[in-house]
């Protein structure tokens, strides 16, 4: 489970055990302490980095009976930690989609008398709401009942209905560092995919024939979740190549620096444009696109830029 050690899900104060995202968490808690928490937050960033767990921790803070940061000991904190709070509504996809019936049920629950100081609706993988479901929820986000807060979670802000994201405060989550991944015991599990993604990324820019990069990527990307992870790795590789060229920031994958140096001939504008293309790919992958065709088009477009 990303961002939180497996043994700590049943601990009382969720945020205490979240790995990384300290500045982001402090920003969220500061808004709560100042009583300026918006009615809707949209958490965006790479998958498997702890956004959902931070959302549950913030819900715990909003619902806590004693403090504005989650005391971890009151009955409300315990209920949220165990996903049994009447003040917390957790909406997740079923069979890969959030349908209109599910969002209508949320709206119906919000119409009931208020329970406690706040109620919090956490919508995991909000980009998987179909248009009908998103529109059914829109009025509640535009004009939420008193004390209701929405926390939507998605890989990118563009993957969420425009009218919903325009009414939400965007909170961006960065990828966890290597040390943070090591703390979670995930570094070894990600190594194979990281190296495979790097091999495909290097081929995009080094091979004279895009078919080689396409063939490597086709073998690598087995489903949408893997595709999103590969796109995330490619975004980090592009950023690292840039940083390696100008020595302006620590590298996300310093062990790949020799490979980065071989790509220094790729211009800054091409790297930036590649990042924009990846945003479109992540948006498409959140929908019902043809996965292989999406990556094939990306590679051809990247080659067209170089």
């Amino acid at each position: 489970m990303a961002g939180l050690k497996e043994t700590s899900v049943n601990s009382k104060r969720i945020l205490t055990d979240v790995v990384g995202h300290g500045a982001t968490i402090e920003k969220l808690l500061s808004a709560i302490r100042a009583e300026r928490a918006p009615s809707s937050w949209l958490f965006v960033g790479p998958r498997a980095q702890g956004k959902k767990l931070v959302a549950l921790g913030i819900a715990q803070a909003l619902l806590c009976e004693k403090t504005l940061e989650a005391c971890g000991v009151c009955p409300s904190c315990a209920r949220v930690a165990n996903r049994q709070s009447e003040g917390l509504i957790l909406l997740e996809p079923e069979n890969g989609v959030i349908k209109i019936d599910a969002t209508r049920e949320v709206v119906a629950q919000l119409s009931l008398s208020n329970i406690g100081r706040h109620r919090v609706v956490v919508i995991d993988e909000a980009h998987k709401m179909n248009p009908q479901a998103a529109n059914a929820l829109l009025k509640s986000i535009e004009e939420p009942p008193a004390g209701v807060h929405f926390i939507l979670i998605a890989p990118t802000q563009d993957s969420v209905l425009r009218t919903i994201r325009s009414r939400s405060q965007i909170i961006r989550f960065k990828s966890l560092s290597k040390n943070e991944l090591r703390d979670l015991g995930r570094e070894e599990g990600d190594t194979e995919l990281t190296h495979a993604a790097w091999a495909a990324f290097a081929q995009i820019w080094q091979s004279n024939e895009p078919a080689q990069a396409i063939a490597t990527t086709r073998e690598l990307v087995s489903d949408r979740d893997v595709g999103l992870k590969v796109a995330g790795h490619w975004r980090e590789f592009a950023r690292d190549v840039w940083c390696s060229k100008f020595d302006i920031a620590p590298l996300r994958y310093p062990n790949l620096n020799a490979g980065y140096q071989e790509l220094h001939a790729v211009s800054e504008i091409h790297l930036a444009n590649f990042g924009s293309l990846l945003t479109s790919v992540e948006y498409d992958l959140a929908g019902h696109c043809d996965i292989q065709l999406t990556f094939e088009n990306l590679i051809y477009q990247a080659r067209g830029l170089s």
Side-chain angles (χ1 to χ4, degrees):
M1 185 175 293
L4 181 68
K5 297 174 184 177
E6 290 289 343
T7 57
S8 62
V9 171
N10 292 321
S11 67
K12 298 304 181 185
R13 188 175 188 272
I14 296 171
L15 291 177
T16 299
D17 291 334
V18 172
V19 174
H21 310 306
T24 299
I25 291 171
E26 178 56 29
K27 178 180 179 180
L28 295 166
L29 290 177
S30 292
I32 295 173
R33 289 193 293 263
E35 298 185 352
R36 294 180 179 175
S39 59
S40 180
W41 273 303
L42 174 57
F43 289 4
V44 300
R47 285 174 173 263
Q49 303 298 303
K51 298 188 296 297
K52 179 179 177 181
L53 292 161
V54 173
L56 292 172
I58 292 301
Q60 194 180 49
L62 286 165
L63 296 169
C64 179
E65 298 169 6
K66 295 186 177 182
T67 77
L68 299 176
E69 300 186 8
C71 69
V73 297
C74 71
S76 177
C77 283
R79 288 193 294 270
V80 173
N82 292 312
R83 319 287 175 87
Q84 297 174 343
S85 172
E86 293 179 337
L88 171 66
I89 301 172
L90 179 58
L91 181 59
E92 300 174 297
E94 291 186 12
N95 299 319
V97 66
I98 298 175
K99 297 181 179 179
I100 188 171
D101 289 345
T103 56
R104 282 176 173 168
E105 184 176 344
V106 170
V107 172
Q109 290 183 58
L110 294 179
S111 68
L112 301 176
S113 298
N114 197 1
I115 301 171
R117 182 164 55 94
H118 293 287
R119 281 180 295 174
V120 183
V121 181
V122 175
I123 305 178
D124 191 23
E125 298 191 272
H127 55 291
K128 292 187 177 180
M129 286 189 288
N130 62 31
Q132 296 83 3
N135 283 314
L137 196 65
L138 181 58
K139 185 175 181 180
S140 294
I141 292 178
E142 290 177 327
E143 302 175 8
V148 171
H149 299 271
F150 289 87
I151 304 177
L152 296 89
I153 303 166
T156 67
Q157 66 183 69
D158 291 337
S159 65
V160 177
L161 189 70
R162 180 181 60 82
T163 48
I164 287 181
R165 69 173 183 263
S166 68
R167 290 161 175 79
S168 304
Q169 181 179 329
I170 310 298
I171 302 294
R172 303 182 188 281
F173 283 72
K174 298 180 180 179
S175 298
L176 295 173
S177 69
K178 290 189 70 175
N179 287 338
E180 289 164 344
L181 289 172
R182 188 179 298 113
D183 288 343
L184 289 170
R186 285 175 43 208
E187 184 180 32
E188 291 303 319
D190 287 352
T191 298
E192 184 176 351
L193 178 62
T194 300
H195 286 295
W198 166 250
F201 178 85
Q203 287 175 356
I204 292 173
W205 306 104
Q206 291 177 327
S207 174
N208 291 326
E209 175 51 59
Q212 184 178 1
I214 290 171
T216 301
T217 304
R218 184 176 293 120
E219 292 182 6
L220 176 62
V221 179
S222 56
D223 56 41
R224 293 183 193 279
D225 285 340
V226 173
L228 283 165
K229 289 180 181 179
V230 169
H233 280 312
W234 284 2
R235 185 183 299 281
E236 291 173 340
F237 297 153
R239 176 259 185 201
D240 269 8
V241 171
W242 185 304
C243 293
S244 175
K245 287 181 69 171
F246 300 102
D247 193 23
I248 55 176
L251 302 179
R252 174 68 177 83
Y253 296 106
N255 59 309
L256 295 175
N257 191 37
Y260 297 152
Q261 292 180 25
E262 295 179 1
L263 299 184
H264 281 185
V266 180
S267 72
E268 303 89 84
I269 188 63
H270 293 160
L271 291 171
N273 286 338
F274 187 66
S276 297
L277 291 172
L278 284 171
T279 297
S280 297
V281 166
E282 289 168 335
Y283 177 84
D284 290 342
L285 289 174
H288 300 284
C289 67
D290 183 294
I291 305 171
Q292 302 295 344
L293 184 59
T294 296
F295 275 94
E296 182 175 333
N297 288 338
L298 168 66
I299 292 169
Y300 275 116
Q301 290 179 70
R303 294 292 306 215
L305 293 170
S306 57

